[in-house]
Amino acid sequence: MLAVSFLVIVGMSLPYYGWTPSLTSIAADLSLDYAQAASLMSVTAAMGGIAVVLGGALVVRVGPKSVILAALALSIAGQIFFAYVDGYTGALVARAVSGVAVGLLIVAPYTLAISWFLESGQAGRAAGVMLAGDGIGVLFALVVVAMVLGSVDWRGGLLVQAGYLAVLFFAALFFLKNAPAPEAAEARGQDAEGTRTKAFGAILRAARTRPVLSAMAFYTGTWGLFSLVVSWMPTILMNAGWPESVAGLFSSSSSLAGIITAVAFGLLSHRVTGRRKLVIVLAGITTAAFVGLLCYAVAVGDYTLAAVSLPLIGLAGYAGASLSLTAANESVDGEHVGAVNGLVLGCALLVGGVLYPYVVGAIRDMTGSFAVGFLVVAISTFVLCFVAPLFGFDEGKSQVPSPEAAVRSEVRAAEA
């Protein structure tokens, strides 16, 4: 279950940004300006953000496997449709369809994989494996796919991607199963109206919790930043004469390096509970500083320095993001964790994933330079990832039990 769910998360990178290495060719073929080209990424993120928020409820109603299959089918349709568009409007519709698929492919595989490990107490390890799929997906989309796109035109590359997604569809169909429902959940027998009311109340409560608001700000800043990197850095580096595959490799280095700190800081989160705010704000200011370095490198045309700054951004950004999300989840009751993740990830996609690529593309059209757009991003990173956690974050009361409490809970469960 974990292996196939991991492959699905990696495959999610194709409908999300697997087409971006050919963005220059797509823009030329469809006669798009920079703002229009950026809006293709923005509409993908916008529809994905909506689907993330609503996808959690859909998973509860029909089960994660059905949602995974529906999302893979949508992603196949979106890639094929995109391959045959002949204008901006058609491209927007294709990206919107793919965006819905992306949102569902973020929610459902995590839910299915982790649910199989809950009773064994290994949910954290399962989550770590799934989190690693994000960085591997970026590498897959921006390096491996870039090599494919370099050997065929962008339309043929999209059809190849659709074929790979079809393989994933059948793997999910034959190998995935929903985890058995816990007996406690079966015994509750809540009606649908009660479930909807409870979910709505959980969202409202989570939205008023300071660690959740801080995580929403931090994730918006980092997710927008990484969306910007995978959207525009391949184009910037290729315009400087770098080969597609090399440009894709360095553009994916932020997410690849971030795997290390995301998993490490997630596992060590309980050890820094009292100092979590300090670590988060340090990660935020460090991220902003490295974005400033990237801005300087782009401004002076030192693309080697730009490539060096990308993994440093990933190391700092993913560390703070991992701790922020952990703190947000621990600030609420366990039954409200889904509402927290929907708010944090949905806001990150809807605001960060939509605005950042579009704003930088629009500024590039107005000024003729990417450097001004990256300066705006550096300022927003400082505000969202440093100022917001500094003044808006509260350690709150952790919901993670102490080791002694965990042992007592296991004893009571064994006796029952």
Side-chain angles (χ1 to χ4, degrees), residues 87-249:
Y88 177 57
T89 302
L92 274 181
V93 174
R95 297 313 310 154
V97 172
S98 294
V100 173
V102 167
L104 298 178
L105 287 174
I106 290 174
V107 175
Y110 271 89
T111 303
L112 189 145
I114 294 174
S115 63
W116 276 98
F117 290 82
L118 286 174
E119 291 194 10
S120 64
Q122 301 298 316
R125 295 187 180 184
V129 171
M130 296 298 289
L131 183 62
D134 179 55
I136 300 299
V138 172
L139 177 66
F140 178 62
L142 298 187
V143 178
V144 178
V145 172
M147 295 178 182
V148 174
L149 295 177
S151 60
V152 298
D153 64 5
W154 66 273
R155 297 181 187 272
L158 288 172
L159 295 177
V160 172
Q161 294 178 33
Y164 177 80
L165 291 168
V167 173
L168 286 182
F169 177 89
F170 286 106
L173 178 65
F174 291 115
F175 293 108
L176 288 184
K177 280 177 55 179
N178 294 328
E183 293 181 5
E186 293 176 348
R188 281 197 296 268
Q190 289 185 313
D191 58 28
E193 186 62 33
T195 301
R196 285 193 295 270
T197 303
K198 187 175 182 180
F200 181 70
I203 292 174
L204 290 179
R205 283 189 291 274
R208 296 195 299 266
T209 306
R210 290 173 65 186
V212 175
L213 294 173
S214 175
M216 290 170 66
F218 202 105
Y219 257 74
T220 297
T222 54
W223 200 314
L225 175 61
F226 297 137
S227 295
L228 170 68
V229 167
V230 300
S231 298
W232 284 119
M233 280 310 300
T235 298
I236 293 172
L237 295 177
M238 285 188 289
N239 286 344
W242 292 39
E244 283 189 0
S245 59
V246 177
L249 175 62

Side-chain angles (χ1 to χ4, degrees), residues 14 58 102 136 242 267 278 281 324 329 353 412 415:
L14 296 182
L58 187 61
V102 167
I136 300 299
W242 292 39
L267 293 175
L278 175 62
V281 296
S324 293
N329 283 329
R412 286 195 299 268
E415 291 173 347

Side-chain angles (χ1 to χ4, degrees), residues 3 9 34 43 46 69 82 107 153 176 184 195 206 211 236 250 261 275 277 288 305 400:
I9 282 290
Y34 280 95
V43 75
L69 293 176
F82 194 17
V107 175
D153 64 5
L176 288 184
T195 301
I236 293 172
F250 279 96
T261 51
R275 301 182 299 278
K277 175 180 177 178
L305 179 61
V400 177

Side-chain angles (χ1 to χ4, degrees), residues 15 24 55 69 80 93 96 110 181 194 225 231 258 260 279 285 306 370 381 383 405 416:
T24 301
L69 293 176
I80 294 175
V93 174
Y110 271 89
L225 175 61
S231 298
I260 301 171
V279 178
I285 190 64
F370 281 106
T381 303
V383 172

Side-chain angles (χ1 to χ4, degrees), residues 331-357:
S331 69
V332 300
D333 295 332
E335 60 187 355
H336 298 155
V337 166
V340 169
N341 291 330
L343 282 173
V344 174
L345 299 177
C347 181
L349 266 176
L350 285 171
V351 181
V354 172
L355 289 182
Y356 277 54

